[in-house]
Amino acid sequence: MIIVGCSNSKHLAKSIAKKLNFSYQDLNLDIAPDGELHVRFDDDLKDKSVVLVQSFYPHPNHSLMELLFAASTARDLGARKVILVAPYLAYLKEDKRVIKGECVSTRVVSELLSKNFDAVVTVEPHLHDSQLFTIPIYNVDISELLKDYIKKNFKDAVIIGADNESSKLVNRISFNSIILDKKRKDAFNVSLKGNYNLPEGKEVLIVDDIISTGSSMIEAIKFLKLKKVNCLAVHGVFIGGALRELEKYANKIITTNTISNESSEIDVSNLIAKKLLEIKL
Ligand code: R5P
C-alpha cells in the first residue's frame, strides 16, 4: 500500500504512513496560469493499493478536481485499488432538493467518488444517507478519542450539543448532555429556542461536528448567557475570521486535525491508520 498526500492533507497523510510503516509520496500538483490543475505521481503505482489523503477544505471544488485527476491517473498507471481517505468530506449537507430546481450536490459528489474510488474512509461525516455511495464508505468513529480528551481537560464540564445534528456525536460522548434546539436562518445566522437548566457556576463545553462560520457556537453562548465556556468540534472549517470572532466568546476552542489549523489539537491519524488496517484493501 502506498499513501499519497494531496494538497490539503500532506501532514496528516505522512503521519498515517508513518504509523502504518507504509511508503509515502506527495501528489505533485501544479496550477497552470489559466487555473488548470496538473497532477503527477513520482513513484510506480503498478499493482499497488493507492490511498489518496485529502480533506475537502480549503478550496473544496479544487480539492475534488485534484482527487478525480489523481484517482484516474492512479488507475491508468496500474493501481490495483484506489482508496480515498477524506478526513473532512464536504458536499454532504445538500442531500435533498429543498428549493425547486436546485442541485442535490451530495448525490453528484457521491456519484463521482463512487465511480473513481474503490472505497472512502472519512471521519464523522455529516452524512445522512450512506446509500448515496455505491462503494463502501467507512466512518472513523472518534467518540472514544473525544471522551478521553474531555476526561483529561474538561472533567466536570456540562456538555452541550450545538444542535440536533450534533446529538449523533454528543450522545456517544456523554450520557447527560443537553442538546440545543437550533434553526438555521441562512449561511451566517441561526436562532435558538427552549429552556435549558444549566447547573450554576459549572464549566461548559459546547460540542458540534463542524464549526464553519462560528454562528452556531456564538449564538449558543449568547442565548445561554454563558461565561466559562469552551468549544469542541471535529472539523474546524473556520470561514474567514470565524476563529478570531469565536475567540471573543470562548475560553478555549478545540478541533481535530481533519482540517489543519491552530485549533487542531486532537490527532486523528492513529484512528485512520487503524481503520485502513481493518478494511480489506
Ligand atoms: C450543521 O448542522 C452542523 O452540524 C454545524 O452545526 C454547522 O455546520 C456549523 O456551522 P456554523 O459554524 O456556520 O454555524
Side-chain angles (χ1 to χ4, degrees):
M1 197 188 317
I2 180 157
I3 309 282
V4 180
C6 300
S7 59
N8 285 339
S9 304
K10 291 191 194 308
H11 189 71
L12 191 57
K14 275 182 201 153
S15 166
I16 295 167
K18 204 168 165 197
K19 291 200 160 100
L20 291 169
N21 212 8
F22 289 159
S23 63
Y24 171 86
Q25 63 170 281
D26 278 344
L27 179 72
N28 293 299
L29 175 76
D30 293 313
I31 304 177
D34 59 3
E36 290 187 4
L37 303 183
H38 174 256
V39 309
R40 184 173 46 82
F41 292 92
D42 277 335
D43 299 342
D44 184 17
L45 304 183
K46 194 149 175 47
D47 296 326
K48 299 208 172 114
S49 285
V50 176
V51 178
L52 299 175
V53 184
Q54 171 84 312
S55 265
F56 280 62
Y57 195 82
H59 314 301
N61 306 322
H62 174 143
S63 309
L64 174 63
M65 206 61 197
E66 178 186 338
L67 278 174
L68 297 178
F69 286 146
S72 166
T73 310
R75 286 213 198 279
D76 217 23
L77 296 173
R80 196 170 61 82
K81 280 196 175 167
V82 187
I83 316 299
L84 169 62
V85 170
Y88 169 66
L89 190 53
Y91 281 118
L92 297 182
K93 287 181 183 162
E94 295 189 344
D95 56 0
K96 276 188 210 74
R97 178 165 297 125
V98 179
I99 300 169
K100 192 172 166 235
E102 74 178 349
C103 171
V104 184
S105 53
T106 308
R107 197 193 303 149
V108 178
V109 171
S110 56
E111 274 169 16
L112 282 170
L113 297 180
S114 299
K115 270 186 200 142
N116 285 279
F117 290 89
D118 293 296
V120 176
V121 174
T122 184
V123 179
E124 304 292 346
H126 195 107
L127 180 65
H128 300 136
D129 183 6
S130 56
Q131 303 288 329
L132 288 171
F133 286 82
T134 53
I135 52 172
I137 173 156
Y138 300 98
N139 175 34
V140 176
D141 179 341
I142 61 163
S143 54
E144 289 301 320
L145 185 66
L146 296 186
K147 260 192 201 168
D148 287 348
Y149 182 89
I150 292 170
K151 214 189 268 172
K152 270 190 211 127
N153 297 280
F154 301 107
K155 199 166 160 263
D156 296 317
V158 178
I159 312 279
I160 297 183
D163 57 16
N164 205 35
E165 182 71 33
S166 73
S167 65
K168 286 194 284 184
L169 174 64
V170 172
N171 291 340
R172 278 181 279 139
I173 296 174
S174 152
F175 287 122
N176 39 21
S177 50
I178 294 165
I179 306 291
L180 301 181
D181 189 355
K182 177 186 99 179
K183 199 170 168 215
R184 181 161 293 282
K185 295 198 258 184
D186 57 40
F188 288 88
N189 293 288
V190 300
S191 63
L192 290 165
K193 63 174 191 204
N195 294 314
Y196 305 96
N197 281 330
L198 295 180
E200 255 178 58
K202 274 206 141 193
E203 192 172 32
V204 167
L205 180 69
I206 311 179
V207 179
D208 206 348
D209 59 344
I210 304 168
I211 302 176
S212 190
T213 65
S215 52
S216 301
M217 288 289 182
I218 292 173
E219 200 49 42
I221 296 168
K222 284 183 178 168
F223 183 82
L224 299 170
K225 299 186 176 61
L226 298 172
K227 295 268 165 3
K228 287 195 282 182
V229 60
N230 308 285
C231 301
L232 170 70
V234 181
H235 312 288
V237 172
F238 299 120
I239 288 160
L243 180 57
R244 293 283 93 85
E245 192 54 29
L246 184 53
E247 276 170 352
K248 294 180 191 163
Y249 298 86
N251 288 347
K252 192 153 193 227
I253 301 154
I254 314 107
T255 62
T256 76
N257 59 348
T258 58
I259 299 169
S260 173
N261 55 52
E262 57 191 276
S263 73
S264 47
E265 206 176 294
I266 303 173
D267 181 17
V268 294
S269 61
N270 211 15
L271 289 180
I272 294 177
K274 266 196 195 154
K275 184 61 85 182
L276 284 172
L277 285 183
E278 261 168 50
I279 63 180
K280 290 194 173 47
L281 297 176

